[in-house]
Amino acid sequence: MNLDDKECFELAKKEGFDFLSVGYSSSGETSVSVHNGEVENQQIGSSSRISFRGIFQGKRGTYGLDDYDPGRKEDILSSIKERSLFGREDKTENYFDGNAKYEKAKTRRDDFSPSNLEERRKSALSLCQSIRDRDERIINVDVSFSRSEEGVSKKNSLGLNCQEGTKYFSGSRYISAKDKDGSIRNSEKGAYSRISLSDLVTKLESKIPSLLDRTRDFFHPECLASGSYPCVFSKGMASILLNCYMGQLSAKQVHKHLSLFEGKLNKQIRSDKITILHTPHIEYRGSGSFDSDGYPTKDFLVIDKGILKTYFYSLETANEEHIPSNGCSCGNGEGEPLVLTVEKGNKNLDELFSERKDGIYITELKGLNSGIDGQSRQFSLPCSGYVIKDGKKDHAFDRNIVSGNLVDIFNQVVGFSSEAEIAGGNVISDRLVSSVDLSGDKQ
């Protein structure tokens, strides 16, 4: 896209604007989907988005479009002026001039190896057949592969000029299996690679056994009796609960008096087994060298052995406290982390099971959109997983409800496994909690 940003900034100044910023994002994807050994869908697509934000007479106006015509500069600025009449008050101090040193995040690998659609089609067909050959009870297999490329740039009239991009492969497998009595179960697993298609295939193949186990184990799961159970949350579920909880640490929410952790800096808010770091520069597609403000991201300690060390700041909320931003802006003054790393434990998953003797291992939570109260953090979620019996993973359970409060859950953490991986945007391991409350159809 031919964006004449310098001319836009000069014209905005002549038109009486205090400030103007331009953000540009683009994405492209080629994908192939295979169903039961036949190509079902192939797509090649791309999209882009350009957004303008200006301050006129002390108020903010915005404008967004998918395609840019240089001859429309005057119309765009006129629309921003018009919208600023009804916009919120704003000031240039809430925007960054780019005058800082940026630490480069590992968003793109130099050894990234591209592939064509034909190669992805062959790999998807081969993986589909490999899964179908594993068990005669499998009735449906869906495999999808895609190659994605994303880019973002931010510029403003103060001098900000930053950009970065990423390339990666992603894939998923969805299977259905039917038992002899007609019971049908489904399961899905995905993976991604920032290296190559062959690396992605290797990752997906390594997870086929767990995918099949997840399907077959749940043909006839038990519904557990209501009660309190020692619990291990799988990596994925531990990450989901962490993400639901961390929204309370946005400085914007604190300033609005909507956070449970207002006034809790340097105080114990979690179990002393929990240490969390903000790690936005690690090798991951969610990493970034700058935040939504264009401000440099940084590594820092969020929670140290249960003690809250900081909130997530944008430039706006940092200015309100007269402190530097920590590079966590996600737009409109809100703050959130890019990538969190939870300090792992020193025991593997089997050792955690052995330590608990009896309990449950939760591998799936449902109803997340409606089952967690955004303010109180009370939750009530359908769950499934495995019973831990005599220190080992035993049989599956399902149709139970786990309930409680996220604050209590994080206060009851007694350990983590030593096997960490990226799940749900966080580097995290399986989490051991002293007890959770389950409700079921038996008393």
Side-chain angles (χ1 to χ4, degrees):
M1 180 177 291
N2 182 22
L3 178 60
D4 51 346
D5 50 273
K6 290 183 179 179
E7 292 182 19
C8 286
F9 297 147
E10 291 173 359
L11 182 59
K13 185 176 181 180
K14 291 179 182 178
E15 292 288 328
F17 279 78
D18 301 316
F19 169 84
L20 182 70
S21 69
V22 181
Y24 175 68
S25 62
S26 63
S27 64
E29 181 179 277
T30 59
S31 63
V32 58
S33 300
V34 170
H35 174 73
N36 286 346
E38 295 185 1
V39 176
E40 188 173 56
N41 192 22
Q42 295 184 128
Q43 289 186 331
I44 300 175
S46 62
S47 63
S48 62
R49 183 70 176 170
I50 184 166
S51 58
F52 293 83
R53 174 176 292 187
I55 301 177
F56 185 75
Q57 295 182 351
K59 289 191 174 182
R60 178 196 299 174
T62 60
Y63 191 83
L65 64 163
D66 297 327
D67 194 17
Y68 177 71
D69 179 357
R72 292 190 59 198
K73 287 192 294 293
E74 290 83 357
D75 292 338
I76 291 171
L77 293 178
S78 178
S79 295
I80 296 173
K81 276 186 184 181
E82 207 173 296
R83 296 183 182 196
S84 71
L85 296 174
F86 308 97
R88 54 172 287 191
E89 292 184 358
D90 206 350
K91 51 189 177 182
T92 57
E93 287 82 356
N94 291 331
Y95 297 91
F96 188 53
D97 62 8
N99 185 21
K101 182 179 180 180
Y102 289 82
E103 180 180 347
K104 183 63 178 174
K106 297 177 182 178
T107 59
R108 188 195 297 258
R109 288 181 61 121
D110 294 334
D111 59 350
F112 179 84
S113 177
S115 74
N116 58 41
L117 197 57
E118 174 65 19
E119 290 170 329
R120 289 194 286 282
R121 183 166 54 245
K122 288 181 178 180
S123 295
L125 287 167
S126 176
L127 185 61
C128 181
Q129 189 60 49
S130 176
I131 295 173
R132 295 186 72 189
D133 291 342
R134 300 290 183 103
D135 195 310
E136 62 183 11
R137 291 172 292 182
I138 296 175
I139 57 176
N140 287 304
V141 178
D142 292 277
V143 176
S144 65
F145 284 159
S146 64
R147 176 188 180 275
S148 301
E149 183 170 356
E150 300 168 356
V152 61
S153 71
K154 296 180 180 296
K155 300 180 180 181
N156 68 33
S157 55
L158 301 178
L160 177 70
N161 184 355
C162 54
Q163 56 274 319
E164 65 186 353
T166 184
K167 297 178 181 180
Y168 60 91
F169 291 96
S170 59
S172 66
R173 293 129 319 134
Y174 176 90
I175 69 171
S176 298
K178 186 176 183 179
D179 204 9
K180 295 178 181 179
D181 64 356
S183 300
I184 296 178
R185 297 297 299 193
N186 308 311
S187 190
E188 182 177 17
K189 280 186 177 292
Y192 88 100
S193 171
R194 298 176 63 248
I195 303 174
S196 64
L197 177 62
S198 60
D199 180 60
L200 174 67
V201 172
T202 298
K203 289 179 177 179
L204 291 170
E205 286 178 337
S206 70
K207 294 183 178 181
I208 291 177
S210 61
L211 178 69
L212 295 175
D213 287 344
R214 174 70 188 170
T215 306
R216 297 176 297 210
D217 291 348
F218 284 81
F219 277 133
H220 306 289
E222 177 186 5
C223 181
L224 300 178
S226 299
S228 295
Y229 294 82
C231 174
V232 177
F233 287 97
S234 70
K235 300 175 184 68
M237 299 308 102
S239 185
I240 285 172
L241 294 180
L242 178 64
N243 290 337
C244 292
Y245 187 79
M246 297 305 277
Q248 290 279 312
L249 296 183
S250 168
K252 185 83 167 182
Q253 297 302 304
V254 174
H255 294 179
K256 289 180 176 179
H257 310 293
L258 295 175
S259 172
L260 297 173
F261 305 111
E262 182 180 359
K264 299 292 186 180
L265 282 180
N266 297 312
K267 294 181 180 178
Q268 197 86 26
I269 65 166
R270 293 186 178 180
S271 160
D272 61 8
K273 301 295 183 181
I274 300 177
T275 293
I276 301 176
L277 298 94
H278 187 236
T279 53
H281 303 115
I282 66 171
E283 188 176 302
Y284 178 55
R285 62 183 178 184
S287 300
S289 308
F290 52 87
D291 66 4
S292 180
D293 291 334
Y295 198 89
T297 55
K298 59 179 68 176
D299 296 350
F300 58 85
L301 194 59
V302 183
I303 293 175
D304 184 17
K305 296 180 180 178
I307 297 174
L308 178 62
K309 306 305 291 185
T310 188
Y311 301 118
F312 300 121
Y313 288 92
S314 63
L315 192 58
E316 178 183 330
T317 52
N319 286 341
E320 290 173 0
E321 295 188 26
H322 306 289
I323 61 174
S325 171
N326 54 16
C328 290
S329 172
C330 59
N332 296 319
E334 291 286 354
E336 67 178 17
L338 274 74
V339 185
L340 294 176
T341 295
V342 182
E343 191 172 273
K344 61 185 180 181
N346 54 16
K347 297 179 180 178
N348 62 34
L349 185 57
D350 289 337
E351 289 172 329
L352 285 187
F353 290 160
S354 178
E355 182 179 305
R356 282 297 88 185
K357 301 298 183 186
D358 297 302
I360 58 174
Y361 178 45
I362 293 180
T363 58
E364 185 173 8
L365 295 168
K366 304 173 185 177
L368 293 161
N369 290 333
S370 58
I372 300 179
D373 185 280
Q375 187 58 37
S376 69
R377 298 303 168 181
Q378 289 291 132
F379 66 90
S380 181
L381 301 169
C383 67
S384 60
Y386 293 89
V387 173
I388 304 170
K389 186 175 182 180
D390 296 327
K392 295 183 179 181
K393 188 173 77 171
D394 199 68
H395 60 282
F397 76 88
D398 197 2
R399 304 184 307 279
N400 282 97
I401 304 292
V402 59
S403 60
N405 188 285
L406 287 180
V407 175
D408 296 331
I409 288 292
F410 282 97
N411 282 330
Q412 293 167 0
V413 171
V414 293
F416 290 88
S417 74
S418 57
E419 303 146 325
E421 64 180 41
I422 294 179
N426 304 306
V427 182
I428 198 166
S429 52
D430 305 274
R431 185 176 66 216
L432 175 60
V433 177
S434 57
S435 69
V436 297
D437 292 330
L438 283 193
S439 58
D441 62 1
K442 298 188 292 185
Q443 301 294 325

